[in-house]
Amino acid sequence: MMDKTKNSVGEPKSAEVTDRPHDARDVESEALRLITGDGKEIKIEKLKSLILEWVKAENLRSSRGSQSPQNKFKSLLLVTCMLLLAVLLLEFTTLGETMRPKKLLSSYYELFSPQERVYENNGYLMVSSNGGLNQMRAGISDMVAIARYLNVTFIVPELDNTSFWNDRSKFEDVFDVDYFIQSLKDEVKILKELPPEMQKRIASRYLYSMPPVSWSNMSYYYNTVLGRIKKYGVVHFTKTDARIANNGIPEEVQNLRCRANYEALRFTPQIEQVGRKMVKMLRQKGPFMVLHLRYEMDMLAFSGCYEGLNGTEMDELTKMRYAYPWWKVKEIDSQAQRLLGLCSLTPEETSLLLRALDIGPEMQIFVAAGDIYGGERRMAPLRKAFPNLVKKEILLEPSELEPFQNHSNRMAALDYIVALEADIFLATDNGNMAKVVEGHRRYLGFRTTITPNRFILVRLIDQYKNGTLSWDEFSRAVKTVHANRRGGPTARTVWPGQPKMEDYFHTNPQECLPKLGQKSTYNLP
């Protein structure tokens, strides 16, 4: 493995800064004037120029010995804090045409961005991500780690355009591609496309493609994959999901998986702006929770979960499952699936769970979901208990949502942003969004994330509904079962030889989390 090296930064060439403020206090007053001045357009570029000139002046004075190292450090710290304050002021100011916090954040990042890593390139890695947004997100993060530790150049991934959702979005339509590249440049070199000479090379021969073995440790990539990259120059991975093991991976690799997932994979400015707007609208009315309610037609059909459905609905879902040849499991025992805890909760079951946890009817609940099978008829029990149900379509004007319509990954990205910021997050199944959002919320400080124990919960619900348990008994039992399932610190499970039975790394990235436990940020009764 090659050691990282950093590019050197030259000394300022000129001292022509007499028209700029040289003192930190002058910088502070000038910057505050630019930020708060009379409601006029924020002069982001002028603020950036101001800070850059100050840094040059400070470097020049330091080289002349006119400022002690201690004073220089204090001045730099003051200006850095001032710039961060400017960012925060803009982030919490009402967004408008003249207020562009992302632009200021980008300026800040350019000023203090990491130096590019220099290494001997062993070749190029191309990947085609598979699955929905969150499955692809976790897979891409893993591929970043693979590229870095094989010393290969990573090509911006191709997103899945062939799965059930049929979203034709490219990487740059969902993620901020420039930020992705720049934020990781001290670890791995990332290009938007292969260099022309490599494109010609694979065009004249062929592109070597392979699916990496699932749940592999790093020795597989060192011993098997690296040799193929060196042989062919370019290797294309046809799948990215679950290609690195959960456990037994070096800590530095785990940390990079976290950094790529939770920091580098930022959504496009357009998606971020609309997502933040919804968060602000909800926050203005008080606490809110996000409910990832998996009760779409395709999910029910492919899982075979028919609880509460009538015969006509069951027939419709069964026909749908048989119509898709790539879904290999055709015969499914719905009741057995439910008793094993493998079915998503119905809206009615979800209502009982929330009430048993003493979540009051006044709670705002943002429903992150597609079209609910059965529509309002199926949602009636949940809406009756919690009248403050909202969705993207309620919070946003049609014109605001229009750019994201018919693009499932962009719509999911909006839900993802709101889910991260919610006081409580609860998913009714154990799908990829539930897993990845839970891990991200742990990374952000163990934010309250309720993970239903469906195996026990459906039995308690059945006992309550048949009269075996009173409401108080049911509620006490539900609270007891979920007392330690709220997103707090916990050790990731290890099942040697059975990785699917383990906690998913991106759900509980314990190597990246504080060693000491922290309380959840929203305390349930």
Side-chain angles (χ1 to χ4, degrees):
M1 187 185 306
M2 301 293 293
D3 291 336
K4 294 188 287 184
T5 59
K6 303 291 185 180
N7 294 331
S8 61
V9 180
E11 292 293 327
K13 295 182 179 179
S14 172
E16 297 299 325
V17 291
T18 54
D19 295 332
R20 300 282 187 177
H22 290 195
D23 187 85
R25 287 170 295 183
D26 297 329
V27 174
E28 181 182 6
S29 60
E30 174 69 4
L32 287 174
R33 185 186 67 79
L34 289 172
I35 296 169
T36 60
D38 301 328
K40 297 179 180 179
E41 181 175 355
I42 299 170
K43 302 293 191 293
I44 300 296
E45 291 302 323
K46 191 172 181 181
L47 178 60
K48 176 184 173 184
S49 175
L50 176 68
I51 302 299
L52 287 170
E53 291 292 350
W54 180 88
V55 171
K56 290 180 181 179
E58 289 300 306
N59 285 338
L60 182 62
R61 267 196 291 176
S62 177
S63 66
R64 291 176 175 175
S66 60
Q67 187 178 24
S68 68
Q70 293 86 350
N71 288 336
K72 180 182 178 182
F73 174 77
K74 290 179 181 179
S75 298
L76 182 60
L77 181 62
L78 178 60
V79 172
T80 302
C81 291
M82 179 275 300
L83 185 55
L84 285 171
L85 176 61
V87 172
L88 291 172
L89 285 171
L90 290 174
E91 286 283 9
F92 289 100
T93 304
T94 303
L95 292 174
E97 286 300 316
T98 61
M99 296 183 178
R100 307 182 190 277
K102 289 298 177 191
K103 193 171 183 181
L104 181 56
L105 283 168
S106 297
S107 299
Y108 174 82
Y109 187 78
E110 290 169 10
L111 197 61
F112 298 101
S113 65
Q115 295 297 310
E116 184 173 359
R117 173 173 174 252
V118 179
Y119 66 99
E120 182 178 344
N121 184 24
N122 286 324
Y124 298 85
L125 177 61
M126 301 176 66
V127 302
S128 292
S129 303
N130 58 302
L133 174 70
N134 296 285
Q135 186 173 334
M136 292 192 292
R137 183 186 185 105
I140 291 168
S141 304
D142 292 354
M143 295 302 104
V144 166
I146 294 301
R148 188 263 181 261
Y149 286 99
L150 295 185
N151 283 334
V152 299
T153 298
F154 188 56
I155 306 303
V156 168
E158 176 186 69
L159 300 189
D160 190 343
N161 296 149
T162 60
S163 63
F164 177 85
W165 300 273
N166 196 30
D167 187 345
R168 310 302 298 180
S169 297
K170 298 179 180 179
F171 185 96
E172 58 269 25
D173 297 324
V174 180
F175 300 106
D176 187 334
V177 64
D178 292 325
Y179 182 82
F180 177 69
I181 293 171
Q182 290 298 313
S183 65
L184 291 168
K185 68 181 182 180
D186 63 329
E187 290 285 1
V188 59
K189 186 175 182 63
I190 304 175
L191 299 177
K192 292 182 180 179
E193 59 183 15
L194 282 173
E197 65 274 14
M198 295 305 299
Q199 293 185 31
K200 292 178 182 177
R201 180 176 173 180
I202 63 173
S204 62
R205 301 180 184 179
Y206 71 99
L207 177 62
Y208 181 83
S209 296
M210 61 175 287
V213 176
S214 298
W215 311 111
S216 295
N217 58 28
M218 293 303 293
S219 63
Y220 164 77
Y221 289 96
Y222 289 133
N223 299 332
T224 301
V225 174
L226 181 57
R228 298 179 189 182
I229 294 177
K230 288 182 176 180
K231 178 180 179 180
Y232 297 104
V234 182
V235 166
H236 170 231
F237 285 170
T238 56
K239 293 186 177 182
T240 62
D241 64 319
R243 303 295 141 169
I244 302 183
N246 298 312
N247 301 295
I249 302 297
E251 189 164 328
E252 61 267 23
V253 179
Q254 303 286 54
N255 285 325
L256 183 54
R257 295 169 82 182
C258 289
R259 180 178 169 190
N261 193 353
Y262 308 131
E263 297 179 23
L265 282 175
R266 188 169 71 183
F267 297 119
T268 65
Q270 182 186 30
I271 292 174
E272 288 280 343
Q273 182 176 356
V274 174
R276 298 293 171 191
K277 178 179 180 179
M278 290 193 290
V279 171
K280 183 176 181 180
M281 293 172 70
L282 291 163
R283 186 67 67 205
Q284 286 175 338
K285 295 183 179 180
F288 71 95
M289 75 173 293
V290 167
L291 175 64
H292 184 44
L293 185 61
R294 292 304 315 276
Y295 208 74
E296 300 91 350
M297 182 178 184
D298 61 296
M299 189 280 300
L300 296 174
F302 298 142
S303 67
C305 294
Y306 296 166
E307 175 69 16
L309 302 182
N310 59 40
T312 301
E313 292 169 328
M314 293 180 191
D315 290 342
E316 181 181 37
L317 295 175
T318 301
K319 289 177 182 178
M320 181 180 183
R321 183 167 67 251
Y322 274 87
Y324 283 85
W326 50 265
W327 192 261
K328 294 181 172 48
V329 182
K330 303 300 185 183
E331 289 293 326
I332 300 175
D333 185 331
S334 177
Q335 184 63 15
Q337 286 280 97
R338 179 173 179 268
L339 291 176
L340 288 172
L342 300 178
C343 288
S344 178
L345 299 177
T346 69
E348 180 186 7
E349 291 171 337
T350 303
S351 173
L352 291 172
L353 169 62
L354 297 181
R355 289 173 54 209
L357 292 173
D358 290 341
I359 295 175
E362 73 285 351
M363 175 65 77
Q364 298 179 92
I365 299 181
F366 179 92
V367 179
D371 294 330
I372 301 300
Y373 187 63
E376 283 302 312
R377 175 175 59 85
R378 189 71 63 200
M379 290 290 289
L382 183 61
R383 190 176 297 281
K384 181 179 179 181
F386 299 94
N388 294 324
L389 293 180
V390 295
K391 296 184 70 173
K392 296 185 292 294
E393 293 78 5
I394 295 175
L395 293 176
L396 299 174
E397 297 293 333
S399 59
E400 294 175 296
L401 203 54
E402 191 275 333
F404 312 102
Q405 296 282 12
N406 302 318
H407 298 285
S408 59
N409 289 327
R410 300 181 215 181
M411 294 286 275
L414 294 175
D415 286 340
Y416 191 96
I417 292 171
V418 182
L420 285 188
E421 300 300 326
D423 295 285
I424 305 171
F425 174 74
L426 186 151
T428 59
D429 78 334
N430 192 34
N432 288 296
M433 180 172 181
K435 293 175 181 177
V436 177
V437 168
E438 180 179 351
H440 203 155
R441 286 172 64 86
R442 288 178 188 271
Y443 186 81
L444 293 173
F446 300 109
R447 296 176 178 178
T448 302
T449 305
I450 303 171
T451 308
N453 185 329
R454 296 188 303 277
F455 181 85
I456 296 178
L457 186 58
V458 296
R459 287 166 170 77
L460 293 175
I461 289 173
D462 289 345
Q463 291 178 53
Y464 168 67
K465 292 175 74 172
N466 67 26
T468 305
L469 290 178
S470 68
W471 174 257
D472 289 341
E473 291 171 329
F474 171 73
S475 181
R476 280 197 300 271
V478 169
K479 291 188 182 78
T480 300
V481 169
H482 294 89
N484 295 318
R485 300 176 66 90
R486 301 186 179 186
T490 184
R492 195 170 58 241
T493 57
V494 179
W495 285 66
Q498 299 187 62
K500 291 184 179 180
M501 299 295 293
E502 300 175 334
D503 291 335
Y504 186 36
F505 169 79
H506 290 288
T507 298
N508 186 14
Q510 63 186 42
E511 294 87 346
C512 312
L513 305 178
K515 302 303 180 184
L516 297 177
Q518 299 179 15
K519 291 184 179 180
S520 297
T521 56
Y522 187 88
N523 294 319
L524 291 170

